[in-house]
Amino acid sequence: MVTSELPHIHIHNSPMAKSNSRNKPFSDGCLFLAGAFSAILLVWGLSSFTTPIPNDNPNFESLSLSPPSNDAVAVDKHSTPDLSFDPLDRTFYDDPEMGYTMDKKVRDWDEKRHEWLQNHPSFAARAKERVLMVTGSQPSPCRNPIGDHLLLRFFKNKVDYCRLHGYDIFYNNALLHPKMFAYWAKYPVVKAAMMAHPEAEWIWWVDSDALFTDMEFKLPLERYRDHNLVVHGWAHLIHEKRSWTGLNAGVFLIRNCQWSLDFMEAWASMGPQTPNYEKWGQTLRSTFKDKFFPESDDQTGLAYLIAFEKEKWAGRIYLEDEYYFEGYWEEIVGTFENISKRYDEIESGVRRLRRRHAEKVSESYGEVREQYLKDAGYGKGSWRRPFVTHFTGCQPCSGKYNEMYTADACWNGMRRALNFADNQIMRKYGFLHPDLHDNSVSPLPFDYPTLT
């Protein structure tokens, strides 16, 4: 606080001063004027400290707030990770033998992660809930003329979802292992992400051609507390039908732990960087009769490990089939208008859901909406927003697509899905795509969507 120090005025009578009767009236007048002027200055000086000066740019940091309790300070201290604190204690990062590449075997990873978190207590809070999303694309430009645009929109969708839910995201467009190409390229990235993010409990891989079409739904992590790998799949198709489409490896959630590193090592042993690549291709094709191409691929390889190394791995793998953990796009894209209509009907009767709000508090509105979706169902045939829509069989970058589809079906379906998802974001900014086939937006009226 600035304190005012007022000057003391001292009048000195000098013995050397001579009296002059002729100048006395003039001197008295000067003394009077000087005294009056000093008084004015004194009053002005006091008022400058007591009268606030108008400020057109208020400083919100100056607002007086009650001091938080000691308990609140303690909680807040560890509720936000301290990004500037990294003690000099030796960790696995200081070990010259530790490596990020697939050929560098990591041991005792659980203990190393635990030690790192102990040295970084601000990250230890809520560590079990921390998710890092990982995605990516190839290093070169797309051959499809609209491919780069589509990939950008797919990535924006993932960034939007992560921003709403407080997840970090890493996008990679480098080939980390020169021989692990195509679908195998993601595993070196996932391993490197585990090493780079010991604070994250889960690594969530999402293919570049998959997007979130329910921006409010959150992973039910408690559901997977006893598992280390979650994929969309059906046990009977793997164990009984021996179908390579019994699961989809384009979206998976994997725990950042030693089990996962060991499992990925076994999984990647079927990849093109190994001398047994062709042999594994033959084995997988002969085992899963509906597999129509000869190369060893990660999806069929995962199904093989679940089916034939069940005792070693399957107990920690969760085959999620109760909601669209990863949904097949062709059965989804035609349902968007009906789903939007049902959601509008709910909101028209619930003022809370129509209320404008800051994007940062969107999760609370998703929780409110959930109580009105109890009868919506999940998966195929439901009118709940599908969580993830995956354009498997359509390659936005290369422009290739499965012969069972058409180019228009792939690219138009992507546009519709992207705009359907984007409406859930743009609405928080006051806009909407009225037509899912059109990328243009229109401003929303107040209290939308009140039905008249």
Side-chain angles (χ1 to χ4, degrees):
M1 183 178 68
V2 179
T3 57
S4 58
E5 295 183 0
L6 301 179
H8 295 282
I9 301 174
H10 299 280
I11 300 176
H12 300 279
N13 293 322
S14 172
M16 304 269 311
K18 293 184 179 178
S19 176
N20 188 333
S21 60
R22 181 183 173 185
N23 295 331
K24 188 174 181 179
F26 178 76
S27 299
D28 291 341
C30 287
L31 288 172
F32 174 78
L33 290 174
F37 183 69
S38 297
I40 292 172
L41 286 175
L42 179 62
V43 172
W44 179 83
L46 285 170
S47 67
S48 68
F49 289 100
T50 59
T51 304
I53 299 174
N55 183 5
D56 292 332
N57 299 303
N59 179 10
F60 292 106
E61 294 181 357
S62 67
L63 293 175
S64 176
L65 299 175
S66 301
S69 65
N70 292 335
D71 290 341
V73 171
V75 172
D76 185 67
K77 180 180 179 181
H78 296 301
S79 62
T80 303
D82 187 349
L83 304 182
S84 62
F85 176 72
D86 190 21
L88 297 179
D89 304 66
R90 182 177 173 82
T91 69
F92 64 89
Y93 287 117
D94 301 300
D95 181 1
E97 298 300 318
M98 193 282 287
Y100 297 84
T101 56
M102 293 296 289
D103 60 311
K104 291 284 188 178
K105 188 172 180 63
V106 178
R107 295 179 175 85
D108 303 320
W109 178 237
D110 297 337
E111 292 77 8
K112 290 172 180 176
R113 270 195 71 216
H114 179 72
E115 182 181 22
W116 189 92
L117 288 169
Q118 283 187 320
N119 292 334
H120 300 78
S122 68
F123 287 93
R126 298 184 178 179
K128 293 297 183 181
E129 305 170 9
R130 192 166 291 119
V131 176
L132 171 69
M133 187 181 295
V134 181
T135 186
S137 59
Q138 71 293 323
S140 56
C142 292
R143 293 193 297 272
N144 183 0
I146 61 172
D148 290 306
H149 169 72
L150 288 172
L151 287 185
L152 178 62
R153 291 203 64 188
F154 273 100
F155 180 51
K156 175 193 177 299
N157 169 267
K158 297 176 179 71
V159 171
D160 286 339
Y161 182 86
C162 288
R163 186 179 65 253
L164 288 182
H165 300 287
Y167 297 154
D168 288 333
I169 185 170
F170 172 59
Y171 188 97
N172 176 68
N173 65 343
L175 189 61
L176 300 191
H177 193 298
K179 292 184 178 180
M180 295 186 76
F181 46 81
Y183 20 72
W184 291 104
K186 53 179 169 274
Y187 300 101
V189 183
V190 171
K191 180 187 176 181
M194 288 181 173
M195 302 294 102
H197 289 272
E199 82 286 355
E201 179 72 9
W202 294 97
I203 306 298
W204 191 5
W205 173 268
V206 183
D207 270 0
S208 61
D209 59 354
L211 73 148
F212 295 90
T213 39
D214 187 347
M215 306 301 275
E216 292 179 339
F217 189 87
K218 290 188 69 174
L219 287 169
L221 294 179
E222 180 61 21
R223 181 186 183 101
Y224 312 130
R225 64 185 180 276
D226 297 326
H227 296 82
N228 296 330
L229 176 64
V230 184
V231 293
H232 195 208
W234 301 266
H236 71 282
L237 293 180
I238 297 172
H239 296 292
E240 299 171 19
K241 301 293 185 181
R242 292 284 190 262
S243 172
W244 81 287
T245 60
L247 58 84
N248 188 287
V251 179
F252 62 83
L253 185 69
I254 189 165
R255 194 183 297 275
N256 193 357
C257 66
Q258 185 66 50
W259 182 96
S260 298
L261 291 170
D262 295 340
F263 180 78
M264 283 200 300
E265 184 177 7
W267 197 358
S269 68
M270 305 177 186
Q273 82 285 4
T274 68
N276 296 322
Y277 178 56
E278 290 186 8
K279 182 179 178 180
W280 270 115
Q282 296 170 4
T283 299
L284 296 178
R285 193 174 186 185
S286 64
T287 304
F288 297 89
K289 302 299 184 181
D290 60 345
K291 177 177 165 61
F292 57 88
F293 54 94
E295 294 85 11
S296 171
D297 67 290
D298 63 327
Q299 181 168 302
T300 315
L302 176 56
Y304 183 92
L305 291 174
I306 293 173
F308 293 96
E309 297 190 19
K310 184 177 181 180
E311 296 301 322
K312 188 174 183 180
W313 306 115
R316 291 289 182 176
I317 300 175
Y318 196 107
L319 294 174
E320 181 61 81
D321 64 352
E322 293 191 18
Y323 67 93
Y324 276 126
F325 184 83
E326 169 277 338
Y328 178 43
W329 66 273
E330 197 175 38
E331 69 184 34
I332 290 175
V333 295
T335 67
F336 290 144
E337 281 81 5
N338 180 59
I339 291 173
S340 297
K341 181 181 178 181
R342 297 295 295 267
Y343 275 63
D344 284 350
E345 289 173 353
I346 291 173
E347 293 186 17
S348 67
V350 184
R351 176 69 182 89
R352 172 72 187 276
L353 292 175
R354 298 197 306 274
R355 184 184 180 216
R356 293 174 177 175
H357 57 271
E359 186 183 64
K360 279 292 186 182
V361 296
S362 295
E363 279 194 351
S364 64
Y365 288 80
E367 293 170 359
V368 172
R369 191 191 314 277
E370 188 60 32
Q371 62 184 298
Y372 299 94
L373 298 174
K374 293 178 180 179
D375 298 327
Y378 292 91
K380 187 175 182 179
S382 79
W383 53 270
R384 180 187 291 267
R385 292 168 181 161
F387 184 35
V388 174
T389 301
H390 189 191
F391 281 84
T392 179
C394 298
Q395 300 178 19
C397 193
S398 68
K400 298 178 180 178
Y401 49 89
N402 190 302
E403 61 182 11
M404 63 189 296
Y405 312 130
T406 65
D408 285 344
C410 285
W411 317 142
N412 290 336
M414 289 179 182
R415 183 183 299 110
R416 284 171 52 79
L418 287 163
N419 286 338
F420 176 79
D422 199 41
N423 274 346
Q424 299 168 49
I425 296 298
M426 293 305 298
R427 180 172 171 181
K428 304 178 195 309
Y429 294 81
F431 291 86
L432 201 71
H433 298 277
D435 183 354
L436 297 183
H437 289 94
D438 191 343
N439 293 339
S440 62
V441 297
S442 300
L444 286 176
F446 181 75
D447 207 31
Y448 176 87
T450 300
L451 300 182
T452 56

